[in-house]
C-alpha cells in the first residue's frame, strides 16, 4: 500500500481539483470514454454531480489523495428506479504516475466495504475496454466475473474497441 494514501468520500470542495484531475487522466490514457477536451465541464456542474451522488442512498463518489493531491477517483452510481436501485455501475481512474502502486485496489476495497454496509446494494457492475488488461486483472482479483461484451463500444482514432461487462454480487 502506498504511504500517506487516504481514501474518502468527495465533497463539493473537491470540484475544482476534480476538473484538473479529469483533464490530466484523459490526456494520460485513451482507456476512458471521454477525451481531455470533453473533461472541460464547469465547476458548478462538477459540484452538482458530487452533491447529487452524496445525497443518493445508492451512490458514492470516492477520491484517493496523497499529500493533499488528488490521485484517483471511483464513482459508483446506483440505479435510479426502484426495480434497479439495488445495482449500479462504477468507473475508476488513477493518475498515471500512481498506476500499479495500490491506489486502484484501495478505492475498490473501499467501494466493496461501502456496498456491504449498504443493505440496498446487491450488485456492482462495470464496463472496461477489452484490452485494458491491468484493470481486468484487478477486477477479477476482487471477484468480478465477465458477463458479456459490447461490440464497437469505443471509437478512438478511427478504431473500434469492445467493452467487457463485469459484475459482482454483494448480498
Amino acid at each position: 500500500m502506498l504511504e500517506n494514501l487516504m481514501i474518502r468520500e468527495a465533497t463539493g470542495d473537491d470540484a475544482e481539483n476534480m476538473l484538473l484531475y479529469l483533464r490530466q487522466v484523459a490526456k494520460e490514457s485513451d482507456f476512458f470514454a471521454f477525451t481531455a477536451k470533453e473533461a472541460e465541464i464547469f465547476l458548478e456542474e462538477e459540484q452538482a454531480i458530487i452533491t447529487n451522488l452524496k445525497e443518493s442512498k445508492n451512490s458514492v463518489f470516492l477520491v484517493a489523495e496523497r499529500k493533499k493531491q488528488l490521485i484517483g477517483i471511483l464513482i459508483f452510481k446506483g440505479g435510479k428506479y426502484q426495480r434497479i436501485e439495488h445495482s449500479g455501475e462504477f468507473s475508476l481512474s488513477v493518475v498515471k504516475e500512481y498506476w500499479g502502486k495500490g491506489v486502484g485496489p484501495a478505492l475498490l476495497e473501499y467501494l466493496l466495504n461501502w456496498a456491504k454496509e449498504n443493505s440496498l446494494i446487491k450488485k456492482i457492475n462495470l464496463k472496461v475496454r477489452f484490452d485494458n488488461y491491468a484493470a481486468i486483472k484487478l477486477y477479477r482479483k476482487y471477484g468480478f466475473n465477465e458477463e458479456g461484451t459490447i461490440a464497437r463500444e469505443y471509437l478512438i482514432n478511427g478504431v473500434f474497441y469492445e467493452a467487457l461487462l463485469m459484475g459482482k454480487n454483494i448480498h
Side-chain angles (χ1 to χ4, degrees), residues 67-85:
K67 300 178 181 176
K68 303 219 183 238
Q69 178 190 0
L70 186 60
I71 61 171
I73 65 169
L74 185 151
I75 300 171
F76 175 82
K77 292 181 183 179
K80 181 178 175 181
Y81 304 108
Q82 182 179 1
R83 292 179 178 175
I84 59 170
E85 70 182 355

Side-chain angles (χ1 to χ4, degrees), residues 32-142:
F32 300 107
F34 59 90
T35 66
K37 178 91 172 122
E38 292 165 329
E40 300 285 333
I41 63 175
F42 296 106
L43 182 61
E44 295 80 22
E45 276 185 78
E46 189 63 31
Q47 288 170 327
I49 291 167
I50 293 169
T51 300
N52 289 339
L53 290 172
K54 196 166 191 63
E55 292 174 356
S56 171
K57 61 186 174 184
N58 65 347
S59 300
V60 67
F61 192 140
L62 304 175
V63 297
E65 286 182 323
R66 182 167 190 247
K67 300 178 181 176
K68 303 219 183 238
Q69 178 190 0
L70 186 60
I71 61 171
I73 65 169
L74 185 151
I75 300 171
F76 175 82
K77 292 181 183 179
K80 181 178 175 181
Y81 304 108
Q82 182 179 1
R83 292 179 178 175
I84 59 170
E85 70 182 355
H86 68 279
S87 68
E89 185 171 307
F90 78 90
S91 59
L92 181 146
S93 61
V94 175
V95 172
K96 190 172 188 174
E97 176 185 350
Y98 290 96
W99 288 0
K101 296 185 178 175
V103 179
L107 284 163
L108 197 49
E109 285 175 20
Y110 191 109
L111 171 66
L112 293 173
N113 288 330
W114 172 86
K116 287 174 187 169
E117 291 174 13
N118 182 324
S119 60
L120 186 58
I121 304 302
K122 311 287 187 231
K123 175 89 185 297
I124 297 177
N125 299 305
L126 67 98
K127 182 174 18 175
V128 61
R129 214 170 84 183
F130 83 100
D131 59 342
N132 189 345
Y133 305 116
I136 293 167
K137 182 179 177 181
L138 172 67
Y139 302 141
R140 285 180 180 149
K141 178 181 174 183
Y142 281 90

